[in-house]
């Protein structure tokens, strides 16, 4: 049974209030089938030795617009 539109909107509003930008982006990618498939392909190519891990991860990050801040510690 589909969720009524108003309930979805309320739920989405609460979620965006509780999560920061990084959390929302991570949740979007977690649910994105293409992202998951490409990530799995990248992991398999690394495991097979077809590509170097650092190069594959850097290319994947560029393709998906990912960047990570280096934190202290």
């Amino acid at each position: 049974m589909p969720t009524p539109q108003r309930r979805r909107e309320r739920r989405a509003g609460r979620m965006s209030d509780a999560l920061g930008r990084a959390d929302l982006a991570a949740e979007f990618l977690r649910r994105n089938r293409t992202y998951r498939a490409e990530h799995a392909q990248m992991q398999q190519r690394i495991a097979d030795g077809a590509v170097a891990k650092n190069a594959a991860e850097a290319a994947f990050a560029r393709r998906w617009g990912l960047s990570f801040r280096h934190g202290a510690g």
Side-chain angles (χ1 to χ4, degrees):
M1 180 174 175
T3 304
Q5 181 68 26
R6 296 185 81 144
R7 189 182 314 164
R8 278 194 303 254
E9 289 171 359
R10 284 194 311 267
R11 191 177 300 153
R14 284 193 306 267
M15 182 182 287
S16 65
D17 291 343
L19 301 175
R21 286 183 183 183
D23 295 320
L24 287 172
E27 185 62 19
F28 170 81
L29 291 174
R30 186 183 72 78
R31 295 175 185 221
N32 186 298
R33 289 180 186 162
T34 305
Y35 172 85
R36 291 191 329 251
E38 288 183 13
H39 187 269
Q41 289 171 352
M42 176 194 65
Q43 294 288 13
Q44 187 60 52
R45 293 188 69 205
I46 292 169
D48 292 344
V51 294
K53 181 179 180 183
N54 289 343
E57 289 176 345
F60 185 78
R62 277 191 309 276
R63 172 165 166 68
W64 284 94
L66 304 174
S67 65
F68 304 96
R69 293 186 179 148
H70 296 282

